Amino acid sequence: MKRTNWKTIYFVILLLFVPKRAMAMHIMEGFLPIEWAIFWWAVTLPFLILGYRSIRSKVRENPETKMMLGLSGAFVFILSALKIPSVTGSSSHPTGVGLGSILFGPLAMSVVGSIVLLFQAVLLAHGGLTTLGANAFSMAVCGPFIAYFVFKGATKLGWSFSFAVFLAAAFGDLGTYVVTSIQLALAFPSEVGGFMASFSKFAGIFALTQIPLAISEGLLTVVVMNFLKKYNLGELKLLRVLSKEAR
Amino acid sequence: MKKSLLLLFLVVVLATIPLITQQGTEFGGADGEAEKAITKIQPEYKPWFNSIWEPPGAETESLLFALQAAIGAGFIGYFIGVTRQRNKQTKQEIPGKSKHVTH
């Protein structure tokens, strides 16, 4: 944990010297050409169906985990409502999908994340319905999968539970916006330099803004996980998040 | 508990540093910026679909964002309350004196 703190401090200091205006949010309504909008919807749909099934079977297996599922959803809800100022001089918000991915697996979060995105698209004009497929793919499919595999990998390496959770949530958050950059670059390749030029432009903008927020999300996810470890050890074991011998 | 508070404090620090170091920006959301970037790359691009409904102004928008955060925070608070209570009860029942618990 000490190591994590030092890393955080290092990043903060590093970022103080890299000021630049930027943005990072979901893709806006109507800002994806129609063929791309349809394409990303088609890519995302299977994940939603699998996710729904995965949730259904997990809840049926362990009904007592229902509350944890609600918590995962609530965590996404609150975090994606917080527009946090970033070092680049603009604001963005964390995603909150890391927590649920570690608890229920990445598939379950595709549904939870999409519900939150739908809420924001319809009520807040934030993101959009035509771009929901693409936004869900980045925030509710890729983000959770990255978080899940980072968590598994860090656990395999024998790193501490807290540090694994921190890395998973932080990289899931960062990965979401990298995918968004890829999607935008695919839809809007530059005249000069094509996809790569566009991608470096979007990613330079997105990733930079998101770095401190990814760290924040990692820290917050660790806070929630520590609470769960203290009070909900039974459920964590049911969901196979913690092995039996885990401290 | 102490560790959690320290982590929360770090999050607050992370969020406030930009406010101090980045003077003179409004910390605007990304949306407008994204549009600019896209129109730079493809000046002829026209959005082909508009949001069905938009909050009429900044106030209504902030209401809805606050509502979203409140729903999330409310449930998290409820969850914490329920789990701690449940833990207290199971701890009480362990000594074998299974007192009649009224619900």
Side-chain angles (χ1 to χ4, degrees):
Chain A
M1 202 60 234
K2 268 217 168 70
R3 214 172 31 178
T4 323
N5 289 347
W6 282 117
K7 276 203 174 121
T8 313
I9 291 160
Y10 167 75
F11 268 116
V12 170
I13 291 166
L14 188 79
L15 284 163
L16 290 181
F17 297 101
V18 208
K20 198 169 126 189
R21 274 193 65 62
M23 85 292 184
M25 289 261 173
H26 309 302
I27 303 173
M28 310 237 330
E29 185 75 286
F31 265 87
L32 263 190
I34 190 158
E35 63 273 18
W36 281 110
I38 293 167
F39 172 77
W40 290 117
W41 263 109
V43 173
T44 306
L45 268 178
F47 286 100
L48 286 177
I49 294 161
L50 290 172
Y52 173 71
R53 285 190 178 163
S54 148
I55 288 178
R56 210 176 46 181
S57 73
K58 280 207 160 125
V59 168
R60 196 179 289 161
E61 219 176 300
N62 311 308
E64 56 272 44
T65 58
K66 257 189 214 150
M67 281 283 282
M68 300 268 267
L69 189 65
L71 178 78
S72 308
F75 195 64
V76 178
F77 240 70
I78 185 169
L79 280 195
S80 57
L82 300 175
K83 292 183 182 171
I84 301 172
S86 178
V87 283
T88 47
S90 58
S91 299
S92 181
H93 57 76
T95 63
V97 292
L99 178 77
S101 310
I102 297 169
L103 293 176
F104 288 90
L107 282 173
M109 286 321 275
S110 63
V111 177
V112 175
S114 299
I115 291 170
V116 177
L117 285 167
L118 184 68
F119 175 94
Q120 290 194 325
V122 174
L123 290 177
L124 292 160
H126 187 67
L129 291 174
T130 56
T131 53
L132 185 64
N135 288 331
F137 183 74
S138 63
M139 186 178 122
V141 176
C142 290
F145 268 95
I146 293 167
Y148 181 77
F149 285 116
V150 169
F151 178 74
K152 285 281 173 229
T155 314
K156 271 221 167 62
L157 288 170
W159 292 351
S160 81
F161 178 70
S162 291
F163 193 52
V165 169
F166 169 82
L167 285 180
F171 278 107
D173 178 313
L174 209 55
T176 294
Y177 286 93
V178 171
V179 173
T180 302
S181 309
I182 293 173
Q183 289 170 325
L184 281 171
L186 282 170
F188 300 101
S190 288
E191 295 277 305
V192 186
F195 166 80
M196 275 325 283
S198 281
F199 173 71
S200 57
K201 187 176 190 170
F202 285 121
I205 286 165
F206 277 113
L208 209 58
T209 303
Q210 206 60 29
I211 286 170
L213 299 190
I215 295 169
S216 293
E217 174 164 350
L219 296 173
L220 287 170
T221 309
V222 170
V223 170
V224 175
M225 269 300 181
N226 282 342
F227 177 87
L228 292 179
K229 217 166 93 175
K230 195 170 166 190
Y231 292 101
N232 299 66
L233 208 58
E235 283 101 324
L236 288 185
K237 279 178 182 158
L238 280 177
L239 292 166
R240 297 189 193 88
V241 175
L242 282 171
S243 48
K244 291 276 185 287
E245 66 271 13
R247 283 161 287 122
Chain B
M1 192 65 217
K2 251 193 203 146
K3 198 164 86 174
S4 292
L5 282 175
L6 176 75
L7 293 179
L8 286 174
F9 175 72
L10 267 178
V11 172
V12 173
V13 169
L14 271 176
T16 42
I17 282 175
L19 296 176
I20 298 159
T21 57
Q22 302 282 316
Q23 299 290 342
T25 66
E26 280 195 14
F27 292 101
D31 321 41
E33 297 275 340
E35 273 181 61
K36 269 183 225 155
I38 290 169
T39 39
K40 242 191 213 151
I41 295 170
Q42 276 195 23
E44 73 282 4
Y45 185 80
K46 290 266 180 299
W48 56 280
F49 198 84
N50 285 324
S51 300
I52 316 170
W53 181 81
E54 275 189 45
E59 300 305 334
T60 318
E61 194 186 16
S62 70
L63 162 76
L64 288 163
F65 267 109
L67 198 64
Q68 194 190 325
I71 292 169
F75 188 88
I76 292 172
Y78 167 75
F79 181 92
I80 291 174
V82 168
T83 27
R84 292 190 68 159
Q85 192 55 37
R86 208 183 47 196
N87 265 274
K88 266 199 198 127
Q89 278 181 1
T90 46
K91 276 208 179 87
Q92 277 171 354
E93 283 162 18
I94 287 166
K97 293 178 203 163
S98 52
K99 278 182 184 161
H100 194 68
V101 187
T102 45
H103 284 286

